[in-house]
Amino acid sequence: MYKVISREAIAPDTFDIWLEHPNIHKRAKPGQFLILRLDEFSERIPLTIVSTAEGRLRVIIKTIGKSTYKLCAVKPGETIADIVGPLGNPSEIDRFGTVCVIGGGVGIAPLFPIAKALKEAGNRVIGILGAAKKELLIMKDEFLPHLDELYITTDDGSEGIKGTVTVALQKVLKKEKVEVIWAIGPMVMMKFVSLMAAENNTLCWVSLNPIMVDGTGMCGACRAEVGEEVKFTCVHGPEFDGRKVKWDELIKRQYQYREEEKRAMEDYLKEMGGKNA
Amino acid sequence: MVEKFKVRMRELAPSERVNNFEEVALGYTKEEAITEANRCLQCKHKPCVSGCPVGIDIPGFIKALREGDIEKSSRILKDANNLPAICGRVCPQEKQCELACVVSKIPGSEPVAIGRLERFVADQNISLETAMKPSVNKRVAIIGAGPAGLTAAADLAKEGFSVTVFEAFHTAGGVLVYGIPEFRLPKEIVAKEVEFVKSLGVEFRFNQIVGRTIPFEEIKNEYDAVFIGIGAGAPRFMGIPGSNHNNIFSASEYLTRTNLMKAYLFPRYDTPVKIKDRVAVIGAGNVTMDAARTAKRLGAKEVHVVYRRSEEEMPARIEEYHHAVEEGIVFHWLTLPIEYIGDINNNVTGMKCVKMNLGEPDDSGRRRPIKVEGSEFVMEVDMVIEAIGQTPNAILKAGFPTVRLNKWGNIDADEASGRVEEGIYAGGDIVTGSATVIEAMGAGKRSARAIKSYLLRKG
């Protein structure tokens, strides 16, 4: 059992949660993730580790379906049944020169430890953070000390550049030579950043977020075609060179359970009398 | 004169059982068990025992049973086998103990139903004081709580060692909980057997992935000996074009969702599993049968098993195959899928197949399937489950960087003892590749014996 230490709403439907864990801070590295299972009835869901401290770890969760609603409804002091991690391979952090880190929506959270580590490794770090609108933009202030430059984009223009993260990336690439790009966010966003990176002949790490069950390489639910090879995201990734990912297939696979997810959510809301977390 | 046939075991009717996940085989009553026990000839040379990978004193437990001393019978079973309720249900007895049974050598006679009798005795829930040796001040780590690990853990605990099991999942059992379906092996039974192992003082640590959560080096430093029983791990995919279309699953994923995560009770349990009308399952092993019968129970209108060889080469247990046939599973022999066809939404809609002929025997001794030119046809399906076997998990190399692997990527361990290097032992599927539950238990048992003598010698 793992205790919830704190829970704070940082944007609409988005919660910043610290959990008690005896030893994950000793091992977790940027880019790695966890699998959480709330209780006996719950699914196993993957979540990236945002930060760690002595005896605890931090995740940021957006409520998009039954499982995330249930997780975000757990109050400080209450517990989560299972946490397993750190899983996946750490990000390949090195001193590259100038790097550009791009986060979209709730994908900004998993980008945070990577940006921080890149800065610490001595890189010039350009950040691009994008959201649908101003209210949904998370962690801006936390990123600032680890960035040399920051671009904000919003779909509706309520803050920063109006448009998607690729609009800002275009500006960056015109201005200077970027050695490596990191992009984390919705698959569609990662796809378009990867296309732009390919055009610019720049390595582009993306953190894939397909459906997972065990997260330990024993089922293949999270498989993705990367450079003509089938890879299991949980053990071979989650980071891959986005230029080599077969995106369209992966994006469609992500919606495989849409009907079931909708049904679970509707049933849950009915059970809760229409009240949310 | 010995009765020719085994006492029949009552089963749920096929029409009833395809609508639920209840156990199909209902077990013997006491009268039935004793009648069957009386078919045993009590041979002095006990060929059945040598057919049992864990060496149960079979005539012994049967004799106690027919004398009505179920406690004694249970004790004899548990002396050799820590998980008899499981073995009685899932062992391929026809290839092991029952194959050697003398009664089966009488023309027209079936062997004694050893598995069913073992199951009967185990199901009587006799609680026994286990004979425990005085505690030995040595610590053993077991990695993986599947059949091999549970067996090694229990045997070492009985010998007085302090045993800790590290398990990646949130519960113990390995393939017994994520792979084998409820209708063949109720999870309640597995939980009870695990409770027995716990009662011996074995400590379980869940959510522990060696190499990720905890480094192997740390375990090696902290424990006097280590047993690795992490299973075969990763599913193999055929890798034909279209393999990543939606609704194409590995049997591991499909069964893990259904069994471990209880997706058959969705939405009461949160994990979903796909339910489609026309399902094809590729392969013909026990996992294939499990996946096909699961699909039927989840509501598929048609379930097709597609296998590139013929009925004769099918590796599945004959009993499971019969159950599948009774439940309306359709079998397509000598058929090989060569491409999956999908629609614009990436959903699988069909499977291009080719017919096969059998040629000369290959390395496995089975006749090699050869494609028949011009025999391509399309089978319309809306879901595919590939059950073509497993390969060692990629996590293995990362998790155990110093452990020696063989050319198949499995751990290179001594066959008799499971010894890998000083203080490190391994057994079960991670050494042999996919095999049976009882073979894994046998390996766990042999390693426990070797670990015991290693630690006592080391002093």
Side-chain angles (χ1 to χ4, degrees):
Chain A
M1 294 295 243
Y2 304 86
K3 204 200 272 177
V4 173
I5 300 168
S6 65
R7 178 191 63 173
E8 192 195 338
I10 53 167
D13 307 323
T14 310
F15 294 84
D16 186 342
I17 297 172
W18 279 92
L19 298 159
E20 213 168 65
H21 194 287
N23 50 20
I24 222 148
H25 65 279
K26 292 184 206 157
R27 322 210 194 286
K29 296 204 174 68
Q32 291 188 301
F33 64 98
L34 307 161
I35 294 234
L36 270 66
R37 192 181 75 126
L38 174 56
D39 58 38
E40 191 207 326
F41 298 97
S42 300
E43 296 183 269
R44 296 166 65 88
I45 63 166
L47 281 172
T48 306
I49 304 164
V50 179
S51 344
T52 57
E54 177 84 33
R56 52 207 197 120
L57 66 94
R58 179 191 188 193
V59 290
I60 288 181
I61 309 177
K62 186 166 184 181
T63 55
I64 50 166
K66 182 182 180 185
S67 293
T68 44
Y69 263 102
K70 274 172 64 178
L71 270 174
C72 289
V74 180
K75 298 186 191 74
E78 294 176 346
T79 55
I80 283 175
D82 300 290
I83 298 178
V84 58
L87 298 169
N89 298 308
S91 306
E92 285 185 20
I93 306 292
D94 206 338
R95 187 167 180 172
F96 300 103
T98 301
V99 296
C100 181
V101 297
I102 308 173
V106 77
I108 290 173
L111 185 71
F112 178 68
I114 299 167
K116 198 165 159 246
L118 284 167
K119 184 69 203 164
E120 279 161 13
N123 292 288
R124 171 174 152 72
V125 185
I126 302 169
I128 302 174
L129 305 181
K133 53 183 178 175
K134 191 181 174 190
E135 297 76 50
L136 292 169
L137 190 72
I138 57 169
M139 300 183 79
K140 187 176 99 182
D141 296 341
E142 278 189 84
F143 266 84
L144 281 173
H146 310 292
L147 299 176
D148 292 281
E149 225 177 303
L150 169 65
Y151 293 79
I152 300 281
T153 68
T154 49
D155 297 351
D156 67 352
S158 52
E159 187 172 342
I161 301 166
K162 180 173 160 63
T164 59
V165 291
T166 46
V167 178
L169 178 60
Q170 189 102 57
K171 282 183 200 284
V172 172
L173 293 177
K174 252 187 204 153
K175 235 175 59 182
E176 62 187 296
K177 175 94 179 87
V178 170
E179 301 298 333
V180 192
I181 295 169
W182 253 273
I184 308 182
M187 288 236 196
V188 178
M189 172 216 132
M190 293 193 282
K191 171 185 168 181
F192 283 102
V193 170
S194 299
L195 290 176
M196 200 173 268
E199 247 171 59
N200 206 59
N201 204 18
T202 307
L203 170 61
C204 177
W205 290 111
V206 295
S207 180
L208 296 185
N209 47 4
I211 293 169
M212 282 188 193
V213 184
D214 60 287
T216 61
M218 56 162 278
C219 87
C222 65
R223 66 192 189 272
E225 201 175 316
V226 184
E228 316 264 297
E229 268 184 84
V230 174
K231 300 282 190 186
F232 290 2
T233 301
C234 68
V235 287
H236 299 123
E239 292 186 5
F240 296 101
D241 182 349
R243 297 172 302 175
K244 296 182 182 167
V245 172
K246 199 169 171 186
W247 288 103
D248 294 353
E249 185 180 81
L250 197 59
I251 289 168
K252 283 172 178 157
R253 281 176 59 82
Q254 205 179 21
Y255 295 114
Q256 249 182 132
Y257 289 93
R258 197 149 42 171
E259 285 162 43
E260 291 83 357
E261 284 159 3
K262 205 173 137 221
R263 185 175 159 210
M265 190 60 201
E266 282 167 1
D267 274 27
Y268 174 67
L269 288 179
K270 226 180 280 164
E271 199 183 301
M272 303 302 287
K275 285 192 297 279
N276 296 348
Chain B
M1 184 66 201
V2 185
E3 282 293 326
K4 273 192 170 169
F5 300 109
K6 293 177 178 177
V7 173
R8 272 185 52 114
M9 185 151 60
R10 288 160 303 119
E11 287 177 350
L12 290 180
S15 60
E16 185 187 347
R17 71 192 193 223
V18 293
N19 298 314
N20 61 50
F21 277 77
E22 279 163 39
E23 192 172 18
V24 168
L26 299 172
Y28 280 158
T29 62
K30 190 171 179 184
E31 291 68 35
E32 288 166 341
I34 290 177
T35 308
E36 181 63 26
N38 280 321
R39 294 181 64 232
C40 174
L41 300 176
Q42 293 290 310
C43 313
K44 286 283 171 286
H45 64 305
K46 305 177 186 181
C48 52
V49 178
S50 53
C52 172
V54 297
I56 294 172
D57 173 10
I58 293 166
F61 96 83
I62 291 179
K63 181 161 183 275
L65 168 62
R66 71 181 178 207
E67 286 163 359
D69 190 347
I70 293 181
E71 195 182 314
K72 184 174 171 196
S73 182
S74 183
R75 187 179 304 281
I76 296 170
L77 267 180
K78 283 244 161 143
D79 272 348
N81 184 350
N82 299 298
L83 314 161
I86 292 167
C87 292
R89 284 172 167 83
V90 304
C91 274
Q93 289 99 5
E94 70 276 13
K95 292 178 190 158
Q96 297 176 328
C97 54
E98 295 182 18
L99 179 67
C101 175
V102 170
V103 178
S104 71
K105 314 293 180 223
I106 303 169
S109 288
E110 290 179 335
V112 174
I114 300 165
R116 294 174 185 179
L117 293 177
E118 177 182 24
R119 170 186 163 150
F120 170 79
V121 174
D123 282 357
Q124 302 314 298
N125 291 318
I126 304 292
S127 79
L128 298 172
E129 281 292 310
T130 312
M132 303 280 289
K133 301 262 173 71
S135 123
V136 183
N137 192 21
K138 293 278 179 202
R139 308 178 69 202
V140 184
I142 309 281
I143 303 169
L150 288 173
T151 302
D155 278 4
L156 287 163
K158 283 178 184 170
E159 294 293 339
F161 295 101
S162 155
V163 182
T164 307
V165 178
F166 294 85
E167 166 57 40
F169 271 135
H170 51 263
T171 188
V175 73
L176 307 171
V177 288
Y178 70 72
I180 303 175
E182 188 77 22
F183 55 82
R184 277 216 292 137
L185 179 63
K187 300 308 149 225
E188 218 176 70
I189 303 272
V190 180
K192 228 182 265 168
E193 302 270 59
V194 170
E195 275 312 308
F196 169 74
V197 178
K198 277 187 189 159
S199 77
L200 302 172
V202 173
E203 185 203 346
F204 284 83
R205 290 202 200 149
F206 296 110
N207 299 319
Q208 303 291 318
I209 299 175
V210 173
R212 294 278 192 214
T213 316
I214 178 162
F216 185 45
E217 280 305 310
E218 204 173 298
I219 294 183
K220 267 171 51 174
N221 292 339
E222 227 179 281
Y223 292 85
D224 299 296
V226 183
F227 175 77
I228 306 169
I230 58 174
R236 197 178 286 153
F237 285 98
M238 288 204 293
I240 60 177
S243 287
N244 293 332
H245 283 317
N246 289 350
N247 305 326
I248 298 175
F249 305 101
S250 72
S252 314
E253 176 184 351
Y254 189 70
L255 292 172
T256 300
R257 284 177 178 274
T258 314
N259 300 325
L260 179 73
M261 304 312 293
K262 301 204 186 312
Y264 69 98
L265 299 172
F266 178 85
R268 191 153 79 78
Y269 282 76
D270 295 344
T271 306
V273 63
K274 276 288 165 195
I275 297 171
K276 291 285 176 187
D277 288 342
R278 287 183 61 113
V279 179
V281 189
I282 318 299
N286 289 319
V287 176
T288 314
M289 303 303 139
D290 286 346
R293 297 173 69 198
T294 296
K296 192 82 186 184
R297 281 163 174 76
L298 286 170
K301 294 200 177 82
E302 296 170 23
V303 181
H304 303 269
V305 166
V306 177
Y307 183 45
R308 66 196 175 119
R309 301 191 212 237
S310 69
E311 185 174 354
E312 210 171 301
E313 291 82 23
M314 170 182 65
R317 284 190 69 188
I318 203 78
E319 190 179 328
E320 302 310 324
Y321 169 56
H322 286 156
H323 279 146
V325 170
E326 280 173 5
E327 288 165 14
I329 312 292
V330 184
F331 285 77
H332 303 259
W333 308 112
L334 297 167
T335 307
L336 178 74
I338 52 171
E339 184 183 343
Y340 297 118
I341 304 159
D343 64 14
I344 189 147
N345 293 317
N346 211 43
N347 296 321
V348 66
T349 56
M351 201 164 72
K352 195 186 275 177
C353 299
V354 60
K355 297 299 287 179
M356 310 296 275
N357 261 333
L358 291 180
E360 292 302 306
D362 64 11
D363 297 344
S364 74
R366 294 180 300 180
R367 295 176 63 194
R368 190 191 303 274
I370 300 162
K371 287 178 190 168
V372 177
E373 285 302 321
S375 64
E376 284 91 358
F377 69 101
V378 172
M379 187 184 278
E380 281 178 36
V381 291
D382 47 21
M383 188 163 117
V384 179
I385 302 165
E386 289 194 2
I388 57 162
Q390 290 176 309
T391 85
N393 195 332
I395 224 161
L396 181 66
K397 277 191 194 127
F400 303 89
T402 58
V403 168
R404 200 175 58 238
L405 305 181
N406 63 22
K407 63 177 175 180
W408 298 280
N410 292 311
I411 293 181
D412 193 3
D414 175 64
E415 213 177 302
S417 64
R419 187 180 182 279
V420 181
E421 60 189 58
E422 188 180 342
I424 311 292
Y425 296 77
D429 286 4
I430 191 54
V431 171
T432 58
S434 324
T436 61
V437 167
I438 188 72
E439 283 172 90
M441 289 183 185
K445 205 162 200 60
R446 288 194 298 277
S447 284
R449 219 177 287 140
I451 289 170
K452 178 191 163 192
S453 57
Y454 162 71
L455 289 178
L456 296 182
R457 201 170 55 234
K458 204 176 139 200

